[in-house]
Amino acid sequence: MNRRFIRLTVNGDTHELAVAPQETLVEVLRDRLGLTGTKRGCTSGACGVCTINDETGRALLACLALAVEWDGRAITTIEGVAVDGQLTPLQQAFWECGAVQCGYCTPGLVMTARALLLGNPRADAHAIDEALAGTLCRCTGHIKVKQAVAKAVADLAAAGNGTTGDGPQG
Amino acid sequence: MSLAKSLSDALQRKPVCHCLEKVVDDRGRDPSGGWLTRISGGRPAVLYSAGVGRRPPRRGSPLHLPTFDYRRPQSLAQALGWLAEFGPRAAVLAGGTDLLIALRQRLLRPELLVGIGALAELQGVQPCADGALRLGAGTPLTTLVEDPLLRVRLPALAAALQSVGSRHVRNVATLGGNLNLPTRCWYVNQGEAWRQARPPCLKTGGDVCHVIRSARECFALQSSDGAVALLALGARLELARAAAVREVALDDFYRNDGLAPTTLDAGELVTAVYVPVTPLRSTFLKIAPRTGLDYGLGTVAAAVAGSNRRVTAARIVLGSIGSWPVRLRGAERIVAEGGLEPATIEAAAEAARADLGELTNLYSTAGDKRRLARVLVRRALAALRRQPEAQAA
Ligand SMILES: Cc1cc2nc3c(=O)[nH]c(=O)nc-3n(C[C@H](O)[C@H](O)[C@H](O)COP(=O)(O)OP(=O)(O)OC[C@H]3O[C@@H](n4cnc5c(N)ncnc54)[C@H](O)[C@@H]3O)c2cc1C
Ligand code: SF4
């Protein structure tokens, strides 16, 4: 097969992989690196469960990204968010608000909200709605998710810490 | 042992295992003779994933992409060279937010994808000598939406691009990809298995249309939101192919044909969009089932120059309603002659229905589309009327 080597940094660890051109990031993360926190959902950009963050903390969909295009780049997945097993304020807010039902969409929602907080630590209700559009909770638990993100914004502001509180990017 | 041999041994060590090929084998030796470890640089690479992914992905499953080759050009010239060489066997990959889905649905089977995403020549927003803005075709939509110059001078474009998909999509989707969005319909834009329940249609090599049974043409919809705004703003495109560059007005780029919706030639790329920033007011509105993610049931963009009383130029465009973005020339004339006054706005909204010509029942009924057109035009013109006239200098 027509494979080529790529170097991909995931949550700070650099991986050398031989990938075929048609392999997507979500396939590489789950099927090769065993990082199954990133879910495979609609594979057509409409559900957001495969959301990961790039070097600049932007949200993107791992089902619509070819691994070969990510050679030399760094991404953060849900496995890279908690620091030393400690939940970040954002994750803590999800926990405390009960913003989880079956949990399948939760990693994508956390990575989506993380991108929002990194870009806009003072996100208001409108910004939260806008950022979360594109993620679907089929248990229909969106209200609590929105409450959780708003709580994280408030908690981080109260702590005087305008970031998501987790480790360095990449 | 030669490097090639040791590499191929490393790759074939476990014929059924598609998980990360080991850099260190079971006895701790590096089968590549150290090469793999060396290219991983100072930081030790994670060498292999134990246990997971032992089941090879089922190729050919609709979840996976079909096989193709991939090349990443280092320059625009190189990209154009490959596109010329491979012709219809190559496809351009920009952000991939539409193309990868089309590939998954087996709507096309290119031999080669040319990944133009990172080409420096296609990036960024630059003011030109004549005051126009040059938007690189490879610029991500988020970059454009957040650009201060664009937000102030081209509010219709900022609003249109902001309405595309979700933030996740806009972070990677590009302007060039948006303008080259294929037309869509409810039969063809589905998985292959779904399509195979019926004979192929005009777009997939057959001679029937499953949307309009009597049709011998394809009426699939053009739903690019950027196209609608840029058409109202009077944009021009810069198109390049190996050893030739041409410019074309966006008015002459789109065709009212679901099968061949643009005049882009094989091997040609959209490299940039030039938008005049002659003082004008502009707006964009979209009606969709959901505010996020959905294509419009109808969209409108309108731009006027002059004051409310004396409009010197007007352009009004509807999108997601036909196979091309439709310019409403009758409505434009009414506004250009009568100004942005309540009575003329009403008259223009009425005229929009006539301007649309024949409509299909694709995604919504023709009657609904006509009513929607009237509402969209009325709202857009009313919004323009409310915008400060000073901007119209
Ligand atoms: C969930 C979801 C929702 C969406 N909603 C909308 C929406 O509301 N409105 C909308 O307009 N779009 C929407 N899209 C479609 C798409 O994401 C956007 O149109 C996007 O801008 C496409 O850009 P891209 O760079 O990802 O294109 P790609 O997928 O890379 O390419 C799309 C097509 O354009 C061609 N192409 C790309 N760049 C060039 C170039 N420079 N020159 C010539 N041809 C080129 C490709 O070959 C391909 O045929 C949506 C997509 C998803 C997944
Ligand atoms: S509208 Fe076009 S693509 Fe859709 S079924 Fe008819 S011919 Fe095929």
Side-chain angles (χ1 to χ4, degrees), chain A:
Chain A
M1 245 208 288
N2 188 5
R3 297 205 201 162
R4 65 214 57 207
F5 284 97
I6 63 162
R7 181 189 305 176
L8 179 68
T9 303
V10 184
N11 305 329
D13 291 327
T14 302
H15 303 261
E16 300 280 348
L17 299 136
V19 297
Q22 68 272 14
E23 275 179 78
T24 57
L25 273 185
V26 70
E27 288 164 7
V28 167
L29 289 172
R30 292 179 58 88
D31 301 341
R32 291 176 175 255
L33 301 179
L35 296 172
T36 52
T38 305
K39 303 302 178 204
R40 189 176 358 220
C42 69
T43 64
S44 54
C47 77
V49 300
C50 65
T51 304
I52 57 174
N53 294 166
D54 70 5
E55 301 89 339
T56 61
R58 281 190 171 172
L60 66 116
L61 300 170
C63 75
L64 294 183
L66 292 185
V68 282
E69 293 230 292
W70 284 75
D71 182 22
R73 303 215 27 203
I75 57 177
T76 305
T77 69
I78 187 69
E79 289 89 348
V81 175
V83 185
D84 296 331
Q86 289 288 311
L87 297 187
T88 61
L90 175 63
Q91 291 172 307
Q92 192 66 35
F94 266 70
W95 171 268
E96 284 169 22
C97 293
V100 177
Q101 291 189 43
C102 82
Y104 197 80
C105 66
T106 312
L109 283 166
V110 170
M111 297 316 285
T112 301
R114 179 179 184 270
L116 170 68
L117 298 190
L118 285 169
N120 178 7
R122 275 179 248 303
D124 59 11
H126 175 76
I128 293 173
D129 277 357
E130 196 266 338
L132 291 178
T135 58
L136 290 182
C137 167
R138 295 287 74 180
C139 310
T140 68
H142 283 278
I143 303 281
K144 291 196 167 165
V145 172
K146 293 201 287 194
Q147 287 167 353
V149 181
K151 181 175 189 316
V153 171
D155 290 352
L156 288 164
N161 172 356
T163 73
T164 53
D166 57 329
Q169 299 295 310

Side-chain angles (χ1 to χ4, degrees), chain A residues 44-47 61 64, chain B residues 91-101 108 116 122 137-138 141 160-161 163-166 169-170 172-182 222-227 239 253 264 268-271 286 293-296:
Chain A
S44 54
C47 77
L61 300 170
L64 294 183
Chain B
V92 174
L93 175 73
T97 58
D98 185 74
L99 185 70
L100 295 182
I101 298 173
L108 65 170
I116 60 166
L122 304 184
L141 302 188
L161 299 181
S163 84
V164 171
S166 61
V169 170
R170 293 190 298 276
V172 293
T174 66
L175 185 61
N178 187 249
L179 292 178
N180 286 287
L181 197 64
Q222 175 56 261
S223 302
S224 162
D225 291 322
L239 310 177
F253 185 66
L264 193 78
E268 210 170 27
L269 268 185
V270 176
T271 45
K286 174 169 175 175
L293 277 185
D294 282 332
Y295 287 103

Side-chain angles (χ1 to χ4, degrees), chain A residues 1 3 19-24 27-28 31-32 40 66, chain B residues 18 55-68 104 106 109:
Chain A
M1 245 208 288
R3 297 205 201 162
V19 297
Q22 68 272 14
E23 275 179 78
T24 57
E27 288 164 7
V28 167
D31 301 341
R32 291 176 175 255
R40 189 176 358 220
L66 292 185
Chain B
H18 283 245
R55 221 161 7 105
R58 262 187 315 127
R59 285 291 147 218
S61 116
L63 276 182
H64 294 113
L65 293 170
T67 53
F68 47 74
R104 215 165 248 141
R106 308 301 191 260
R109 291 179 179 273

